[in-house]
Amino acid sequence: MAGSEQYPSGNPRWLLAELTYACPLQCPYCSNPIDYAKITDELSTEDWLRVFKEARAMGAVQLGLSGGEPLVRKDLPVLVKYARELGYYTNLITSGYGMTEAKIVELKEAGLDHIQVSIQAPEKELNNFLAGTESYEHKKQVAHLVKKHGYPMVLCVVIHRHNIHLMTEILEMAIELGADYLELANTQYYGWAHLNRDQLLPTKAQFEQAEAIAQGYKEKLKGKMKIYYVVPDFYEQRPKACMNGWGTTFLTIAPDGTALPCHEARILPGLNCPNVREMSVSDIWLKSEAFNQFRGFGWMKEPCRSCPEKVKDFGGCRCQAYLLTGDPNATDPVCGLSPDRAAIAEAIEGARKDYEGGEPKPLVFRNGRTSKALSG
Ligand code: SF4
Ligand code: FES
C-alpha cells in the first residue's frame, strides 16, 4: 500500500451518498463523471440502508444525500428515516427541481435535518440557461417552502464567469429568500467544469471584485446570515487541504456502490476503487488499496515530501494534480512551490483568451448539448 508515515486516519465522519446520477438539470459545471450516463446500475434501498448502518458503526455522523438529483429516488423518505434512526445528521443536497410541499412535509416527518437548495443565478433567463431547464421560479418557491417548514434555509450558488458579475444580486436574492446560510462556491474544475474550464474560469479581477462584495455583505449580515465563500484555488499560492486529507474524514459512495475517497477519484489511473456490493464499509475504509493510496505522506514526491506545510494541506488535491500534470502523485500545481505551476498559468491564459478573444467557445452541457453563453 502506498500510504505510510501515517497521519492518523481516524474513522469516516462524513458519508456522502450519491444516490443517483439522474438529474433533470444539465449544468455545464456538474461534478458528476463525464461518462455518468454509462453508470446505470444503482444500489437498491437495502444496499443503501446497510451502507448507512456500517458507516454509522464506524463513527460517521453527517450524511449528505446528493446526486445527480436525489429527489429522483422514490425511496428517499425511507432512507432519511433510517438514517435519522441511526443518529445521523441528514442533509439533502438538491436543485429543488421536483420538490413539492407534500414531499417537504414527508421528509420532515421522516426526520430530515437540513435541505440545501442550489440556484444557478439571480435572474430567470440566466438561471434557466445554465440549468438547461425552466426552473428559476420553482427553485425560489422551494426555497420559501424550506423556510416555511422550519428547516434552516441553505442556499448554494456555484460561481463562475457567467454569474460572478451578479454577486450583489446573488446576495440580495439570498436576503429576499430569507437564507440562513449562503454558500458561494467558486467552481472547482473537475468533471464537466474541467471540460468547460476555458468558458467558466473568471479573471483574477472578477474574482477580487466579487470577493470584496461578498466580504462586505458578510460584515453587514453578521448574526443574520452566514456566508461561506469557497475560495477559487487557481488564484491562490497554496492548495486546499482536499477532503481534509485523503481517507481521513470523507467517504463517498457513488450510485453504483463504488466507494470513493473523494467524489472525483474515479478519474485517477490505476486506483482500484472498491464497491460496497463486494466489501464492507469497514474493510473499504481500513484495508482497501484505494483508501490507503494517498493516506499519510509516504506517497509524496518532492517538494511536498520535505515540506513542513504538508501537515496542513496534504500536498493539495490528487485529482487536480492528475488533471493538470497527468501524475496523481505530483504536488498540486496550485502550490507556488510546484514545478508544474505553469499549468495554472496556462489554464488562466486559456480562459483569458476565451473571454477576451471575441470568439468564446460554446458551453458543453451535461446532456452533451452545446450552446453559446448568454453573457461572460
Ligand atoms: Fe503543500 Fe506540497 Fe506545496 Fe508544501 S510543496 S505547500 S506540502 S503542496
Ligand atoms: Fe479528488 Fe481532491 S477531488 S483528491
Side-chain angles (χ1 to χ4, degrees):
M1 288 187 185
S4 63
E5 299 171 39
Q6 286 281 357
Y7 44 69
S9 66
N11 285 330
R13 291 196 294 284
W14 241 104
L15 173 64
L16 180 66
E18 294 184 328
L19 298 178
T20 178
Y21 285 143
C23 184
L25 271 54
Q26 302 300 338
C27 308
Y29 48 75
C30 180
S31 63
N32 288 167
I34 301 276
D35 63 350
Y36 73 90
K38 289 190 200 143
I39 302 160
T40 51
D41 189 15
E42 286 185 6
L43 289 184
S44 66
T45 308
E46 291 65 39
D47 287 331
W48 279 117
L49 299 184
R50 177 177 55 81
V51 168
F52 293 177
K53 191 173 178 186
E54 289 180 5
R56 182 75 189 103
M58 289 201 72
V61 285
Q62 293 270 354
L63 173 66
L65 300 157
S66 79
E69 174 49 67
L71 290 171
V72 169
R73 285 281 301 218
K74 297 279 176 283
D75 55 356
L76 189 58
V78 176
L79 300 179
V80 167
K81 187 163 187 291
Y82 188 63
R84 198 64 181 81
E85 282 165 12
L86 289 171
Y88 280 103
Y89 186 84
T90 50
N91 305 269
L92 179 67
I93 300 160
T94 174
S95 69
Y97 196 86
M99 186 65 102
T100 60
E101 186 156 19
K103 266 191 206 169
I104 290 190
V105 172
E106 190 183 8
L107 289 168
K108 184 93 191 177
E109 283 168 3
L112 184 65
D113 292 297
H114 184 120
I115 302 180
Q116 177 187 299
V117 180
S118 64
I119 296 194
Q120 278 65 12
E123 293 173 350
K124 183 176 172 181
E125 194 188 4
L126 183 57
N127 178 89
N128 292 351
F129 170 76
L130 290 165
T133 310
E134 288 276 333
S135 54
Y136 182 68
E137 299 299 349
H138 181 61
K139 280 166 175 279
K140 285 181 77 170
Q141 219 175 30
V142 169
H144 284 301
L145 288 172
V146 165
K147 188 90 184 163
K148 178 180 162 190
H149 286 280
Y151 290 98
M153 165 53 320
V154 190
L155 198 66
C156 174
V157 183
V158 177
I159 306 295
H160 46 75
R161 199 158 77 216
H162 303 286
N163 63 7
I164 197 164
H165 59 293
L166 298 171
M167 186 54 78
T168 303
E169 291 81 351
I170 290 169
L171 284 145
E172 288 295 329
M173 172 179 72
I175 294 171
E176 182 211 316
L177 294 173
D180 298 294
Y181 300 88
L182 173 65
E183 185 172 323
L184 298 164
N186 276 287
T187 303
Q188 307 282 325
Y189 292 93
Y190 312 107
W192 291 86
H194 180 69
L195 191 72
N196 284 303
R197 191 180 65 197
D198 286 348
Q199 302 94 306
L200 291 174
L201 183 66
T203 63
K204 189 167 194 203
Q206 287 172 321
F207 272 133
E208 286 173 350
Q209 199 184 4
E211 189 165 8
I213 295 170
Q215 293 303 349
Y217 271 82
K218 216 171 169 173
E219 274 303 303
K220 198 167 86 178
L221 298 175
K222 231 182 209 163
K224 292 185 194 141
M225 185 198 298
K226 275 216 158 88
I227 300 173
Y228 298 103
Y229 188 81
V230 180
V231 293
D233 60 0
F234 275 40
Y235 292 104
E236 297 288 314
Q237 281 300 313
R238 289 291 182 269
K240 58 184 178 289
C242 199
M243 297 293 121
N244 199 35
W246 184 274
T248 65
T249 312
F250 289 92
L251 167 64
T252 295
I253 309 295
D256 64 351
T258 305
L260 304 164
C262 72
H263 58 286
E264 296 299 320
R266 275 182 202 268
I267 63 166
L268 297 177
L271 192 74
N272 191 10
C273 291
N275 193 295
V276 295
R277 286 183 165 124
E278 286 142 23
M279 272 175 107
S280 68
V281 170
S282 163
D283 280 354
I284 285 170
W285 186 262
L286 298 170
K287 299 184 188 157
S288 74
E289 211 184 304
F291 279 75
N292 282 290
Q293 186 75 27
F294 301 109
R295 216 173 231 159
F297 305 111
W299 57 271
M300 285 180 172
K301 292 181 170 176
E302 292 296 349
C304 292
R305 175 168 275 275
S306 55
C307 177
E309 294 183 48
K310 68 184 177 189
V311 295
K312 282 199 286 188
D313 62 33
F314 316 105
C317 173
R318 294 306 85 223
C319 302
Q320 186 151 276
Y322 171 65
L323 284 170
L324 294 173
T325 72
D327 177 3
N329 290 65
T331 295
D332 185 335
V334 162
C335 180
L337 304 171
S338 160
D340 299 304
R341 177 76 193 179
I344 298 291
E346 268 168 42
I348 292 171
E349 179 57 11
R352 188 198 64 76
K353 277 194 189 144
D354 189 80
Y355 181 53
E356 294 172 358
E359 271 296 322
K361 287 189 262 184
L363 285 163
V364 185
F365 289 78
R366 201 179 100 118
N367 55 359
R369 181 175 64 86
T370 58
S371 177
K372 288 251 181 212
L374 296 185
S375 66

